[in-house]
Amino acid sequence: SVKLELYACTTFQNQWANIRKYADEIKLYGYDENVVKAKEGSLTMTVVGEGSTVVTVEWRGMITQICIKVYDRNNSTGAVTGLVPFVTDTYKLDHTDPLSFNPQIKSIISYDDATWIEAWGAEHGITYEFDSSKIRVTNDGVVYPVVSGTHEVKVKCANFSYVAKVTVVAPEKPLSY
C-alpha cells in the first residue's frame, strides 16, 4: 500500500476549508513531477511515484509551501534512516540563574517508511557519549553539570549520530551516581 503525507503551513490560516471554490485562481508550482502532478484548475494532485517534494501554492498574493512525501509501505523494514537534534543542539546550564534548569537532549528519529518521532534516551535506542569528568547525562538525556566550560555530548542511534554542545556556568556540586 502507498502512503501519502502532507505538511502544510498556516499561511492561509482558516482559508483552507473554503479555498476549493477559488481553485481556478490557485497556482501550484515548483514540485517534482516524478512524485506528484497537479491537475490544472483544481487542488487535485496525482501521485506519480515515490519520493518527496515541496509544492509552492500561490493564491491572491499569499504564498505557502506544502511538503509531500510518498512512499511504499510494503518496502519498509522499520530501519532508522536519520537522527537530528529536536529544536536545538546547543544547551546552557547557568546555575547562577535561579530559573536555570537541567535540559533534556531530545532528537528526531526518522524511519524508512518516512515516519519520525521525537525521541530521547535508551527507550528509543538513543545513547549518549560524554566525558563524565566534565558533564553527566542520564539514560533519559537529562544533562547535569560537573565543571564549567563548553562540553560535547555525542548522541547516537543505530548508525547515526550528532554532537550536542553544553555550556556550563558555575556548576552545582558534582553528582554521584
Side-chain angles (χ1 to χ4, degrees), residues 1-70:
S1 68
V2 173
K3 183 173 181 186
L4 170 67
E5 292 185 3
L6 299 174
Y7 304 91
C9 77
T10 58
T11 300
F12 298 159
Q13 301 298 330
N14 62 353
Q15 296 301 317
W16 285 107
N18 302 318
I19 204 168
R20 287 207 179 275
K21 61 185 172 186
Y22 304 107
D24 58 335
E25 297 178 36
I26 296 169
K27 296 176 189 166
L28 305 173
Y29 56 89
Y31 55 89
D32 182 348
E33 291 187 5
N34 293 313
V35 178
V36 292
K37 178 82 172 128
K39 182 179 176 188
E40 203 63 40
S42 75
L43 294 178
T44 304
M45 307 234 29
T46 302
V47 173
V48 177
E50 288 186 66
S52 62
T53 188
V54 175
V55 179
T56 300
V57 182
E58 186 176 342
W59 177 58
R60 295 186 177 182
M62 294 183 285
I63 297 176
T64 191
Q65 281 79 35
I66 300 173
C67 178
I68 298 176
K69 294 182 179 184
V70 179

Side-chain angles (χ1 to χ4, degrees), residues 44-158:
T44 304
M45 307 234 29
T46 302
V47 173
V48 177
E50 288 186 66
S52 62
T53 188
V54 175
V55 179
T56 300
V57 182
E58 186 176 342
W59 177 58
R60 295 186 177 182
M62 294 183 285
I63 297 176
T64 191
Q65 281 79 35
I66 300 173
C67 178
I68 298 176
K69 294 182 179 184
V70 179
Y71 55 93
D72 185 347
R73 293 185 128 188
N74 294 327
N75 293 333
S76 173
T77 63
V80 173
T81 58
L83 176 73
V84 295
F86 178 74
V87 181
T88 187
D89 63 355
T90 306
Y91 302 89
K92 183 175 181 180
L93 286 99
D94 183 354
H95 285 282
T96 62
D97 179 354
L99 299 177
S100 182
F101 61 93
N102 295 78
Q104 183 178 38
I105 299 173
K106 294 184 180 182
S107 305
I108 298 289
I109 300 174
S110 302
Y111 297 94
D112 67 351
D113 66 356
T115 60
W116 57 271
I117 61 168
E118 175 186 345
W120 56 89
E123 175 184 346
H124 296 107
I126 295 176
T127 59
Y128 306 95
E129 292 179 2
F130 52 92
D131 182 342
S132 61
S133 68
K134 297 178 179 180
I135 199 167
R136 304 279 167 90
V137 182
T138 67
N139 287 338
D140 290 332
V142 179
V143 181
Y144 290 92
V146 175
V147 297
S148 293
T150 299
H151 315 296
E152 292 185 349
V153 177
K154 188 171 187 177
V155 182
K156 297 171 62 175
C157 182

